mmCIF file with all atom_site columns, all heavy atoms in Angstrom:
data_model
loop_
_atom_site.group_PDB
_atom_site.id
_atom_site.type_symbol
_atom_site.label_atom_id
_atom_site.label_alt_id
_atom_site.label_comp_id
_atom_site.label_asym_id
_atom_site.label_entity_id
_atom_site.label_seq_id
_atom_site.pdbx_PDB_ins_code
_atom_site.Cartn_x
_atom_site.Cartn_y
_atom_site.Cartn_z
_atom_site.occupancy
_atom_site.B_iso_or_equiv
_atom_site.pdbx_formal_charge
_atom_site.auth_seq_id
_atom_site.auth_comp_id
_atom_site.auth_asym_id
_atom_site.auth_atom_id
_atom_site.pdbx_PDB_model_num
ATOM 1   N N   . PHE C 1 89  ? -22.608 -37.233 53.792 1.00 98.00 ? 98  PHE C N   1
ATOM 2   C CA  . PHE C 1 89  ? -22.368 -36.904 52.383 1.00 98.00 ? 98  PHE C CA  1
ATOM 3   C C   . PHE C 1 89  ? -21.288 -35.832 52.222 1.00 98.00 ? 98  PHE C C   1
ATOM 4   O O   . PHE C 1 89  ? -20.598 -35.812 51.211 1.00 98.00 ? 98  PHE C O   1
ATOM 5   C CB  . PHE C 1 89  ? -23.655 -36.425 51.715 1.00 98.00 ? 98  PHE C CB  1
ATOM 6   C CG  . PHE C 1 89  ? -24.706 -37.484 51.627 1.00 98.00 ? 98  PHE C CG  1
ATOM 7   C CD1 . PHE C 1 89  ? -25.759 -37.501 52.529 1.00 98.00 ? 98  PHE C CD1 1
ATOM 8   C CD2 . PHE C 1 89  ? -24.649 -38.473 50.668 1.00 98.00 ? 98  PHE C CD2 1
ATOM 9   C CE1 . PHE C 1 89  ? -26.738 -38.479 52.466 1.00 98.00 ? 98  PHE C CE1 1
ATOM 10  C CE2 . PHE C 1 89  ? -25.618 -39.461 50.587 1.00 98.00 ? 98  PHE C CE2 1
ATOM 11  C CZ  . PHE C 1 89  ? -26.670 -39.465 51.493 1.00 98.00 ? 98  PHE C CZ  1
ATOM 12  N N   . VAL C 1 90  ? -21.174 -34.922 53.191 1.00 98.00 ? 99  VAL C N   1
ATOM 13  C CA  . VAL C 1 90  ? -20.219 -33.816 53.104 1.00 98.00 ? 99  VAL C CA  1
ATOM 14  C C   . VAL C 1 90  ? -18.886 -34.240 53.711 1.00 98.00 ? 99  VAL C C   1
ATOM 15  O O   . VAL C 1 90  ? -18.819 -34.599 54.881 1.00 98.00 ? 99  VAL C O   1
ATOM 16  C CB  . VAL C 1 90  ? -20.744 -32.559 53.830 1.00 98.00 ? 99  VAL C CB  1
ATOM 17  C CG1 . VAL C 1 90  ? -19.700 -31.449 53.799 1.00 98.00 ? 99  VAL C CG1 1
ATOM 18  C CG2 . VAL C 1 90  ? -22.049 -32.086 53.219 1.00 98.00 ? 99  VAL C CG2 1
ATOM 19  N N   . ARG C 1 91  ? -17.838 -34.191 52.893 1.00 98.00 ? 100 ARG C N   1
ATOM 20  C CA  . ARG C 1 91  ? -16.489 -34.470 53.395 1.00 98.00 ? 100 ARG C CA  1
ATOM 21  C C   . ARG C 1 91  ? -15.850 -33.181 53.909 1.00 98.00 ? 100 ARG C C   1
ATOM 22  O O   . ARG C 1 91  ? -15.157 -33.172 54.912 1.00 98.00 ? 100 ARG C O   1
ATOM 23  C CB  . ARG C 1 91  ? -15.630 -35.098 52.307 1.00 98.00 ? 100 ARG C CB  1
ATOM 24  C CG  . ARG C 1 91  ? -14.213 -35.423 52.774 1.00 98.00 ? 100 ARG C CG  1
ATOM 25  C CD  . ARG C 1 91  ? -13.336 -36.073 51.706 1.00 98.00 ? 100 ARG C CD  1
ATOM 26  N NE  . ARG C 1 91  ? -13.220 -35.195 50.549 1.00 98.00 ? 100 ARG C NE  1
ATOM 27  C CZ  . ARG C 1 91  ? -13.555 -35.534 49.291 1.00 98.00 ? 100 ARG C CZ  1
ATOM 28  N NH1 . ARG C 1 91  ? -14.004 -36.738 49.026 1.00 98.00 ? 100 ARG C NH1 1
ATOM 29  N NH2 . ARG C 1 91  ? -13.432 -34.674 48.298 1.00 98.00 ? 100 ARG C NH2 1
ATOM 30  N N   . ASP C 1 92  ? -16.085 -32.079 53.187 1.00 97.00 ? 101 ASP C N   1
ATOM 31  C CA  . ASP C 1 92  ? -15.459 -30.813 53.553 1.00 97.00 ? 101 ASP C CA  1
ATOM 32  C C   . ASP C 1 92  ? -16.321 -29.661 53.060 1.00 97.00 ? 101 ASP C C   1
ATOM 33  O O   . ASP C 1 92  ? -17.057 -29.796 52.078 1.00 97.00 ? 101 ASP C O   1
ATOM 34  C CB  . ASP C 1 92  ? -14.065 -30.727 52.907 1.00 97.00 ? 101 ASP C CB  1
ATOM 35  C CG  . ASP C 1 92  ? -13.238 -29.559 53.420 1.00 97.00 ? 101 ASP C CG  1
ATOM 36  O OD1 . ASP C 1 92  ? -13.408 -29.161 54.590 1.00 97.00 ? 101 ASP C OD1 1
ATOM 37  O OD2 . ASP C 1 92  ? -12.410 -29.043 52.646 1.00 97.00 ? 101 ASP C OD2 1
ATOM 38  N N   . ALA C 1 93  ? -16.220 -28.545 53.744 1.00 98.00 ? 102 ALA C N   1
ATOM 39  C CA  . ALA C 1 93  ? -16.867 -27.306 53.319 1.00 98.00 ? 102 ALA C CA  1
ATOM 40  C C   . ALA C 1 93  ? -15.815 -26.204 53.429 1.00 98.00 ? 102 ALA C C   1
ATOM 41  O O   . ALA C 1 93  ? -15.465 -25.789 54.537 1.00 98.00 ? 102 ALA C O   1
ATOM 42  C CB  . ALA C 1 93  ? -18.081 -26.990 54.182 1.00 98.00 ? 102 ALA C CB  1
ATOM 43  N N   . ARG C 1 94  ? -15.296 -25.776 52.279 1.00 98.00 ? 103 ARG C N   1
ATOM 44  C CA  . ARG C 1 94  ? -14.293 -24.701 52.250 1.00 98.00 ? 103 ARG C CA  1
ATOM 45  C C   . ARG C 1 94  ? -15.015 -23.367 52.071 1.00 98.00 ? 103 ARG C C   1
ATOM 46  O O   . ARG C 1 94  ? -15.781 -23.198 51.127 1.00 98.00 ? 103 ARG C O   1
ATOM 47  C CB  . ARG C 1 94  ? -13.302 -24.925 51.119 1.00 98.00 ? 103 ARG C CB  1
ATOM 48  C CG  . ARG C 1 94  ? -12.439 -26.166 51.326 1.00 98.00 ? 103 ARG C CG  1
ATOM 49  C CD  . ARG C 1 94  ? -11.355 -26.330 50.267 1.00 98.00 ? 103 ARG C CD  1
ATOM 50  N NE  . ARG C 1 94  ? -11.786 -26.117 48.888 1.00 98.00 ? 103 ARG C NE  1
ATOM 51  C CZ  . ARG C 1 94  ? -12.313 -27.057 48.099 1.00 98.00 ? 103 ARG C CZ  1
ATOM 52  N NH1 . ARG C 1 94  ? -12.510 -28.282 48.572 1.00 98.00 ? 103 ARG C NH1 1
ATOM 53  N NH2 . ARG C 1 94  ? -12.655 -26.781 46.858 1.00 98.00 ? 103 ARG C NH2 1
ATOM 54  N N   . ILE C 1 95  ? -14.754 -22.441 52.962 1.00 98.00 ? 104 ILE C N   1
ATOM 55  C CA  . ILE C 1 95  ? -15.467 -21.157 52.964 1.00 98.00 ? 104 ILE C CA  1
ATOM 56  C C   . ILE C 1 95  ? -14.494 -20.011 52.689 1.00 98.00 ? 104 ILE C C   1
ATOM 57  O O   . ILE C 1 95  ? -13.477 -19.884 53.363 1.00 98.00 ? 104 ILE C O   1
ATOM 58  C CB  . ILE C 1 95  ? -16.163 -20.913 54.316 1.00 98.00 ? 104 ILE C CB  1
ATOM 59  C CG1 . ILE C 1 95  ? -17.124 -22.049 54.635 1.00 98.00 ? 104 ILE C CG1 1
ATOM 60  C CG2 . ILE C 1 95  ? -16.879 -19.567 54.312 1.00 98.00 ? 104 ILE C CG2 1
ATOM 61  C CD1 . ILE C 1 95  ? -17.683 -22.018 56.038 1.00 98.00 ? 104 ILE C CD1 1
ATOM 62  N N   . SER C 1 96  ? -14.841 -19.204 51.687 1.00 98.00 ? 105 SER C N   1
ATOM 63  C CA  . SER C 1 96  ? -14.143 -17.944 51.428 1.00 98.00 ? 105 SER C CA  1
ATOM 64  C C   . SER C 1 96  ? -15.076 -16.829 51.874 1.00 98.00 ? 105 SER C C   1
ATOM 65  O O   . SER C 1 96  ? -16.227 -16.772 51.444 1.00 98.00 ? 105 SER C O   1
ATOM 66  C CB  . SER C 1 96  ? -13.824 -17.789 49.942 1.00 98.00 ? 105 SER C CB  1
ATOM 67  O OG  . SER C 1 96  ? -12.971 -18.812 49.515 1.00 98.00 ? 105 SER C OG  1
ATOM 68  N N   . ARG C 1 97  ? -14.580 -15.947 52.728 1.00 98.00 ? 106 ARG C N   1
ATOM 69  C CA  . ARG C 1 97  ? -15.393 -14.860 53.271 1.00 98.00 ? 106 ARG C CA  1
ATOM 70  C C   . ARG C 1 97  ? -15.014 -13.535 52.616 1.00 98.00 ? 106 ARG C C   1
ATOM 71  O O   . ARG C 1 97  ? -13.844 -13.272 52.382 1.00 98.00 ? 106 ARG C O   1
ATOM 72  C CB  . ARG C 1 97  ? -15.198 -14.773 54.777 1.00 98.00 ? 106 ARG C CB  1
ATOM 73  C CG  . ARG C 1 97  ? -15.717 -15.985 55.514 1.00 98.00 ? 106 ARG C CG  1
ATOM 74  C CD  . ARG C 1 97  ? -15.165 -16.050 56.940 1.00 98.00 ? 106 ARG C CD  1
ATOM 75  N NE  . ARG C 1 97  ? -15.696 -17.178 57.681 1.00 98.00 ? 106 ARG C NE  1
ATOM 76  C CZ  . ARG C 1 97  ? -15.194 -18.399 57.651 1.00 98.00 ? 106 ARG C CZ  1
ATOM 77  N NH1 . ARG C 1 97  ? -14.150 -18.674 56.898 1.00 98.00 ? 106 ARG C NH1 1
ATOM 78  N NH2 . ARG C 1 97  ? -15.735 -19.365 58.353 1.00 98.00 ? 106 ARG C NH2 1
ATOM 79  N N   . SER C 1 98  ? -16.027 -12.710 52.346 1.00 97.00 ? 107 SER C N   1
ATOM 80  C CA  . SER C 1 98  ? -15.802 -11.377 51.785 1.00 97.00 ? 107 SER C CA  1
ATOM 81  C C   . SER C 1 98  ? -16.981 -10.490 52.172 1.00 97.00 ? 107 SER C C   1
ATOM 82  O O   . SER C 1 98  ? -17.992 -10.981 52.681 1.00 97.00 ? 107 SER C O   1
ATOM 83  C CB  . SER C 1 98  ? -15.635 -11.449 50.262 1.00 97.00 ? 107 SER C CB  1
ATOM 84  O OG  . SER C 1 98  ? -16.795 -11.980 49.660 1.00 97.00 ? 107 SER C OG  1
ATOM 85  N N   . PRO C 1 99  ? -16.887 -9.198  51.930 1.00 96.00 ? 108 PRO C N   1
ATOM 86  C CA  . PRO C 1 99  ? -18.019 -8.312  52.223 1.00 96.00 ? 108 PRO C CA  1
ATOM 87  C C   . PRO C 1 99  ? -19.221 -8.647  51.345 1.00 96.00 ? 108 PRO C C   1
ATOM 88  O O   . PRO C 1 99  ? -19.067 -9.026  50.178 1.00 96.00 ? 108 PRO C O   1
ATOM 89  C CB  . PRO C 1 99  ? -17.485 -6.913  51.891 1.00 96.00 ? 108 PRO C CB  1
ATOM 90  C CG  . PRO C 1 99  ? -16.000 -7.040  51.954 1.00 96.00 ? 108 PRO C CG  1
ATOM 91  C CD  . PRO C 1 99  ? -15.702 -8.435  51.503 1.00 96.00 ? 108 PRO C CD  1
ATOM 92  N N   . GLY C 1 100 ? -20.412 -8.515  51.898 1.00 96.00 ? 109 GLY C N   1
ATOM 93  C CA  . GLY C 1 100 ? -21.634 -8.746  51.138 1.00 96.00 ? 109 GLY C CA  1
ATOM 94  C C   . GLY C 1 100 ? -21.828 -7.668  50.082 1.00 96.00 ? 109 GLY C C   1
ATOM 95  O O   . GLY C 1 100 ? -21.360 -6.545  50.236 1.00 96.00 ? 109 GLY C O   1
ATOM 96  N N   . THR C 1 101 ? -22.533 -8.030  49.016 1.00 95.00 ? 110 THR C N   1
ATOM 97  C CA  . THR C 1 101 ? -22.780 -7.086  47.923 1.00 95.00 ? 110 THR C CA  1
ATOM 98  C C   . THR C 1 101 ? -24.224 -6.615  47.871 1.00 95.00 ? 110 THR C C   1
ATOM 99  O O   . THR C 1 101 ? -24.519 -5.612  47.235 1.00 95.00 ? 110 THR C O   1
ATOM 100 C CB  . THR C 1 101 ? -22.455 -7.725  46.567 1.00 95.00 ? 110 THR C CB  1
ATOM 101 O OG1 . THR C 1 101 ? -23.354 -8.824  46.348 1.00 95.00 ? 110 THR C OG1 1
ATOM 102 C CG2 . THR C 1 101 ? -21.018 -8.196  46.511 1.00 95.00 ? 110 THR C CG2 1
ATOM 103 N N   . GLY C 1 102 ? -25.132 -7.368  48.490 1.00 93.00 ? 111 GLY C N   1
ATOM 104 C CA  . GLY C 1 102 ? -26.545 -7.018  48.453 1.00 93.00 ? 111 GLY C CA  1
ATOM 105 C C   . GLY C 1 102 ? -27.217 -7.318  47.132 1.00 93.00 ? 111 GLY C C   1
ATOM 106 O O   . GLY C 1 102 ? -28.329 -6.865  46.878 1.00 93.00 ? 111 GLY C O   1
ATOM 107 N N   . GLU C 1 103 ? -26.579 -8.117  46.283 1.00 95.00 ? 112 GLU C N   1
ATOM 108 C CA  . GLU C 1 103 ? -27.122 -8.377  44.944 1.00 95.00 ? 112 GLU C CA  1
ATOM 109 C C   . GLU C 1 103 ? -28.226 -9.432  44.896 1.00 95.00 ? 112 GLU C C   1
ATOM 110 O O   . GLU C 1 103 ? -28.892 -9.571  43.879 1.00 95.00 ? 112 GLU C O   1
ATOM 111 C CB  . GLU C 1 103 ? -26.000 -8.784  43.982 1.00 95.00 ? 112 GLU C CB  1
ATOM 112 C CG  . GLU C 1 103 ? -25.409 -10.152 44.284 1.00 95.00 ? 112 GLU C CG  1
ATOM 113 C CD  . GLU C 1 103 ? -24.218 -10.488 43.411 1.00 95.00 ? 112 GLU C CD  1
ATOM 114 O OE1 . GLU C 1 103 ? -24.432 -11.016 42.304 1.00 95.00 ? 112 GLU C OE1 1
ATOM 115 O OE2 . GLU C 1 103 ? -23.090 -10.212 43.840 1.00 95.00 ? 112 GLU C OE2 1
ATOM 116 N N   . PHE C 1 104 ? -28.427 -10.201 45.949 1.00 95.00 ? 113 PHE C N   1
ATOM 117 C CA  . PHE C 1 104 ? -29.369 -11.320 45.915 1.00 95.00 ? 113 PHE C CA  1
ATOM 118 C C   . PHE C 1 104 ? -30.703 -10.980 46.570 1.00 95.00 ? 113 PHE C C   1
ATOM 119 O O   . PHE C 1 104 ? -30.766 -10.188 47.504 1.00 95.00 ? 113 PHE C O   1
ATOM 120 C CB  . PHE C 1 104 ? -28.785 -12.543 46.625 1.00 95.00 ? 113 PHE C CB  1
ATOM 121 C CG  . PHE C 1 104 ? -27.443 -12.960 46.110 1.00 95.00 ? 113 PHE C CG  1
ATOM 122 C CD1 . PHE C 1 104 ? -26.368 -13.087 46.968 1.00 95.00 ? 113 PHE C CD1 1
ATOM 123 C CD2 . PHE C 1 104 ? -27.245 -13.221 44.769 1.00 95.00 ? 113 PHE C CD2 1
ATOM 124 C CE1 . PHE C 1 104 ? -25.121 -13.473 46.512 1.00 95.00 ? 113 PHE C CE1 1
ATOM 125 C CE2 . PHE C 1 104 ? -25.998 -13.604 44.288 1.00 95.00 ? 113 PHE C CE2 1
ATOM 126 C CZ  . PHE C 1 104 ? -24.940 -13.730 45.166 1.00 95.00 ? 113 PHE C CZ  1
ATOM 127 N N   . ARG C 1 105 ? -31.739 -11.638 46.087 1.00 94.00 ? 114 ARG C N   1
ATOM 128 C CA  . ARG C 1 105 ? -33.072 -11.605 46.696 1.00 94.00 ? 114 ARG C CA  1
ATOM 129 C C   . ARG C 1 105 ? -33.517 -13.058 46.802 1.00 94.00 ? 114 ARG C C   1
ATOM 130 O O   . ARG C 1 105 ? -33.599 -13.749 45.793 1.00 94.00 ? 114 ARG C O   1
ATOM 131 C CB  . ARG C 1 105 ? -34.072 -10.823 45.845 1.00 94.00 ? 114 ARG C CB  1
ATOM 132 C CG  . ARG C 1 105 ? -33.704 -9.371  45.620 1.00 94.00 ? 114 ARG C CG  1
ATOM 133 C CD  . ARG C 1 105 ? -33.854 -8.557  46.904 1.00 94.00 ? 114 ARG C CD  1
ATOM 134 N NE  . ARG C 1 105 ? -33.417 -7.185  46.734 1.00 94.00 ? 114 ARG C NE  1
ATOM 135 C CZ  . ARG C 1 105 ? -32.227 -6.723  47.135 1.00 94.00 ? 114 ARG C CZ  1
ATOM 136 N NH1 . ARG C 1 105 ? -31.356 -7.520  47.698 1.00 94.00 ? 114 ARG C NH1 1
ATOM 137 N NH2 . ARG C 1 105 ? -31.920 -5.458  46.961 1.00 94.00 ? 114 ARG C NH2 1
ATOM 138 N N   . GLY C 1 106 ? -33.746 -13.530 47.995 1.00 96.00 ? 115 GLY C N   1
ATOM 139 C CA  . GLY C 1 106 ? -34.169 -14.915 48.177 1.00 96.00 ? 115 GLY C CA  1
ATOM 140 C C   . GLY C 1 106 ? -32.996 -15.874 48.070 1.00 96.00 ? 115 GLY C C   1
ATOM 141 O O   . GLY C 1 106 ? -31.837 -15.470 47.981 1.00 96.00 ? 115 GLY C O   1
ATOM 142 N N   . PHE C 1 107 ? -33.320 -17.153 48.103 1.00 98.00 ? 116 PHE C N   1
ATOM 143 C CA  . PHE C 1 107 ? -32.307 -18.211 48.014 1.00 98.00 ? 116 PHE C CA  1
ATOM 144 C C   . PHE C 1 107 ? -32.827 -19.252 47.057 1.00 98.00 ? 116 PHE C C   1
ATOM 145 O O   . PHE C 1 107 ? -33.945 -19.739 47.201 1.00 98.00 ? 116 PHE C O   1
ATOM 146 C CB  . PHE C 1 107 ? -32.052 -18.828 49.401 1.00 98.00 ? 116 PHE C CB  1
ATOM 147 C CG  . PHE C 1 107 ? -30.777 -19.622 49.440 1.00 98.00 ? 116 PHE C CG  1
ATOM 148 C CD1 . PHE C 1 107 ? -29.618 -19.055 49.925 1.00 98.00 ? 116 PHE C CD1 1
ATOM 149 C CD2 . PHE C 1 107 ? -30.733 -20.922 48.972 1.00 98.00 ? 116 PHE C CD2 1
ATOM 150 C CE1 . PHE C 1 107 ? -28.427 -19.778 49.947 1.00 98.00 ? 116 PHE C CE1 1
ATOM 151 C CE2 . PHE C 1 107 ? -29.563 -21.657 48.989 1.00 98.00 ? 116 PHE C CE2 1
ATOM 152 C CZ  . PHE C 1 107 ? -28.402 -21.085 49.482 1.00 98.00 ? 116 PHE C CZ  1
#
Side-chain angles (χ1 to χ4, degrees):
F98 295 101
V99 177
R100 180 179 59 237
D101 190 31
R103 294 185 315 273
I104 303 170
S105 298
R106 294 164 178 86
S107 61
T110 64
E112 69 185 273
F113 306 125
R114 300 289 176 260
F116 196 97

